[in-house]
């Protein structure tokens, strides 16, 4: 963890450690640890994911509302970090005592905090960087999350083997000890949440941030009054990401079957999306910050993603080309799409809006993942790729609609960076 301690921004370190914790078991899905140590088959192993994913269809929205209305961003982040820490410890303890039900409880507790913590991160980012380098910051968050995933994928198997060598045997105790070691990163995440709360409180006093607050509070009925632009952003989010994450989950077998790749080659090409996003996201975020035109960049990302899926579906070209395009598009969309929420809702509704967005995304991913499995079993991978192309087309239609709706309402989301800076300067002068 020494490499992470040089991060100057606590939010960045918090993002890395949360990512490592959240993927603490994901890199082991193809290993025999769970089968031999816990006697779990594939269905039982996937239940551990389900206990995390399904509750977050609702809990993200609730978590965002609690951030806005009850806890506040500082206390809420600390509470959600505690849930993450507690959930990971319960999960590891379940492995230690060889109780699968306790592990499932740990994953549920972890899920209560995990996705809501992502909502808190987004809200912090907007509070600190709206009007400055917001797109860059979202790119950095994505980049640090991918660094955490990569570290997890390359280290956790090694940690397990070292524990096995030390104890001299495999089994629940070995697996539980390795998972407990992984839980230490959750403590680092909690520490970052505490430091960040202190820095935010200090900044509020120094900058008199309270003076800029409207005093309004979010009400549940305000959701129905969310602007049309926000709902279109939600549709873009769902339509796009359901064609990314489920595809990567099934991609390794796809490359083996269609392109006759070895498992090693298939794994390498399948992981390029995440590997590329780590260095590309900050650079693309800075590009969006310097140019503005967020909707235009989102449109570019969706069109190139559609192109990549069509290449994979209908050609036998080297899949590295399509996957590199997919990785760059994925990074660009994250940098340009998520910050737009801050441009269409007031500050006191940010947590709820991001929570709602995360909830809808989780619902879409859960449903489409199941549908993708059925399509592969009954129709094969060609139909699956056509289905993913359809999902991206839904996102494309939503982007075009967002462009025209925004244009008719003044073009707030697609103005240039210089125009946005002048607009925010004028607003600041009026406030003073």
């Amino acid at each position: 963890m020494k490499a992470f301690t040089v991060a100057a921004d606590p939010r960045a370190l918090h993002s890395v450690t949360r990512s490592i914790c959240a993927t603490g078991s994901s890199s082991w899905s193809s290993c025999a640890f769970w089968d031999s140590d816990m006697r779990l088959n594939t269905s039982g192993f996937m239940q551990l994911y389900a206990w995390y994913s399904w509750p977050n269809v609702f809990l993200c929205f609730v978590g965002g509302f609690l951030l806005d209305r009850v806890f506040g961003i500082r206390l809420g982040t600390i509470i959600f970090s505690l849930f993450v820490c507690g959930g990971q410890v319960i999960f590891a303890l379940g492995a230690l005592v060889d109780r699968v039900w306790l592990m499932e409880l740990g994953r549920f507790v972890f899920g209560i905090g995990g996705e809501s913590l992502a909502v808190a991160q987004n809200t912090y980012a907007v509070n600190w960087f709206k009007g400055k380098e917001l797109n860059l910051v979202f790119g950095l968050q994505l980049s640090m999350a991918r660094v955490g995933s990569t570290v997890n994928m390359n280290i956790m198997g090694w940690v397990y083997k070292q524990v096995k060598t030390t104890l001299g045997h495999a089994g629940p105790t070995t697996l539980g000890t390795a998972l407990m070691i992984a839980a230490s990163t959750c403590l680092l995440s909690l520490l970052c949440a505490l430091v960040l709360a202190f820095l935010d409180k200090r900044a509020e006093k120094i900058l008199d941030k309270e003076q800029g607050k409207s005093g309004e509070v979010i009400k549940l009925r305000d959701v129905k009054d969310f602007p049309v632009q926000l709902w279109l952003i939600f549709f873009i989010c769902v339509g796009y990401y359901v064609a990314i994450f489920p595809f990567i989950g099934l991609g390794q077998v796809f490359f083996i079957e269609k392109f006759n790749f070895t498992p090693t080659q298939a794994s390498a090409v399948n992981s390029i999306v995440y590997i590329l996003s780590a260095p590309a996201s900050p650079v693309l975020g800075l590009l969006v910050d310097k140019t503005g035109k967020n909707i235009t960049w989102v449109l570019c990302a969706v069109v190139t993603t559609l192109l990549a899926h069509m290449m994979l579906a209908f050609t036998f070209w080297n899949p590295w080309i399509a996957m590199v395009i997919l990785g760059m598009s994925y990074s660009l969309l994250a940098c340009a799409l998520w910050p737009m929420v801050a441009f269409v809702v007031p500050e006191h509704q940010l947590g709820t809006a991001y929570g709602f967005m995360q909830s809808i995304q989780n619902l879409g991913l859960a449903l489409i993942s199941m549908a993708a499995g059925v399509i592969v079993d009954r129709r094969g991978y060609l139909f699956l790729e056509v289905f993913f192309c359809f999902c991206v087309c839904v996102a494309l239609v939503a982007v075009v609609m967002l462009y025209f709706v925004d244009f008719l309402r003044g073009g707030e989301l697609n103005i240039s960076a210089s125009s946005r800076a002048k607009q925010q300067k004028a607003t600041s002068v009026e406030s003073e």
Side-chain angles (χ1 to χ4, degrees), residues 75 97 152 169 291:
L75 179 59
V97 299
N152 167 75
H169 60 82
T291 60

Side-chain angles (χ1 to χ4, degrees), residues 158-215:
W158 177 83
V159 170
Y160 175 86
K161 291 176 182 177
Q162 294 301 310
V163 174
K164 180 180 177 181
T165 300
T166 302
L167 297 180
H169 60 82
T173 303
T174 302
L175 181 61
T177 303
L179 290 173
M180 198 65 77
I181 292 172
S184 62
T185 59
C186 297
L187 294 175
L188 186 56
S189 182
L190 175 59
L191 176 63
C192 290
L194 293 169
V195 172
L196 185 54
F198 169 76
L199 294 175
D200 189 64
K201 182 69 174 178
R202 185 168 179 267
E204 185 176 80
K205 291 180 179 179
I206 294 174
L207 301 177
D208 290 327
K209 292 174 72 175
E210 287 286 350
Q211 293 182 7
K213 295 185 177 180
S214 64

